[in-house]
Amino acid sequence: EDKVVQSPLSLVVHEGDTVTLNCSYEVTNFRSLLWYKQEKKAPTFLFMLTSSGIEKKSGRLSSILDKKELFSILNITATQTGDSAVYLCAVEARETSGSRLTFGEGTQLTVNP
Amino acid sequence: GAGVSQSPRYKVAKRGQDVALRCDPISGHVSLFWYQQALGQGPEFLTYFQNEAQLDKSGLPSDRFFAERPEGSVSTLKIQRTQQEDSAVYLCASSFTTGGNTIYFGEGSWLTVV
């Protein structure tokens, strides 16, 4: 059974801090790993990672995948209160019938002013 | 449409009542997914459509749950004889093709069974 474990489950920081969110996975027929941000509504797409060692960046957010050790990290630098959200990690498995995402429980990030 | 649209946004159902949740995916998207998200948990896969074909329904928790997408666009998730444990957010998602493409989520239908 595919499995995704995120840590920490919750994190409280002050504005300006840098945070690292962790995601480890076990999946048969790995296709990709995705990060989403969820603020009490639709999960919004952040990154899709398919290759090891290639960092993806978007502003203050960056992410990298290690397919050998089966984990990914999401970094947020110079955090702002607007970064407060649940960050979801999901892995996509290659299925004969299409594809599906298996999600972790999420990391609840709270950024205090 | 501009995004994945779901309705109703909020539904309160009495135990034993049937409910129907609608999803309107992004225009042209072939793949459509339904996920169930309980409070404080990550979304869990329910079912997957490629056009009108339901290719994977292994995540549906019981035979009270039924999904359809008859014309390959709008989808409906129906829950019969709702129970309290069905209370969750039901998320619909779509993507252009199968595999390796960004999957876009709707805002969800929040179901509370009382």
Side-chain angles (χ1 to χ4, degrees), chain A residues 11-19 78-81 109-113:
Chain A
L11 190 55
V12 180
V13 301
H14 292 290
E15 266 192 317
D17 288 351
T18 293
V19 298
T79 51
Q80 301 171 358
T81 55
L109 175 65
T110 303
V111 182
N112 290 323

Side-chain angles (χ1 to χ4, degrees), chain B residues 8-81:
Chain B
R9 289 293 319 282
Y10 303 94
K11 174 72 180 178
V12 178
K14 289 187 177 177
R15 192 167 45 187
Q17 195 176 358
D18 296 350
V19 298
L21 308 176
R22 176 190 166 105
C23 173
D24 204 336
I26 294 171
S27 180
H29 277 196
V30 166
S31 298
L32 185 146
F33 308 82
W34 283 99
Y35 286 82
Q36 180 191 58
Q37 187 173 23
L39 194 63
Q41 301 294 315
E44 291 197 4
F45 172 82
L46 293 177
T47 187
Y48 161 70
F49 289 87
Q50 183 176 327
N51 294 308
E52 69 278 4
Q54 189 175 21
L55 298 186
D56 188 345
K57 55 181 181 180
S58 61
L60 296 176
S62 78
D63 59 8
R64 297 185 296 103
F65 286 71
F66 172 76
E68 59 182 6
R69 193 186 185 197
E71 296 177 2
S73 55
V74 170
S75 177
T76 304
L77 176 67
K78 297 179 180 176
I79 309 172
Q80 297 177 319
R81 304 181 304 281

Side-chain angles (χ1 to χ4, degrees), chain A residues 31-32 34 36 38 40-45 48 88 92 95-106, chain B residues 33 35 37 40-43 45 48 50 55-56 58-59 91 98-107 110:
Chain A
R31 173 179 264 143
S32 64
L34 300 97
Y36 288 85
Q38 188 174 30
K40 296 192 188 301
K41 48 185 182 179
T44 52
F45 173 80
M48 175 187 283
L88 293 167
E92 184 184 14
E95 306 260 350
T96 53
S97 60
S99 68
R100 66 160 72 181
L101 296 179
T102 300
F103 283 86
E105 284 188 56
Chain B
F33 308 82
Y35 286 82
Q37 187 173 23
Q41 301 294 315
F45 172 82
Y48 161 70
Q50 183 176 327
L55 298 186
D56 188 345
S58 61
L91 294 166
T98 56
N101 286 274
T102 303
I103 298 173
Y104 296 92
F105 282 82
E107 295 202 354
W110 296 62

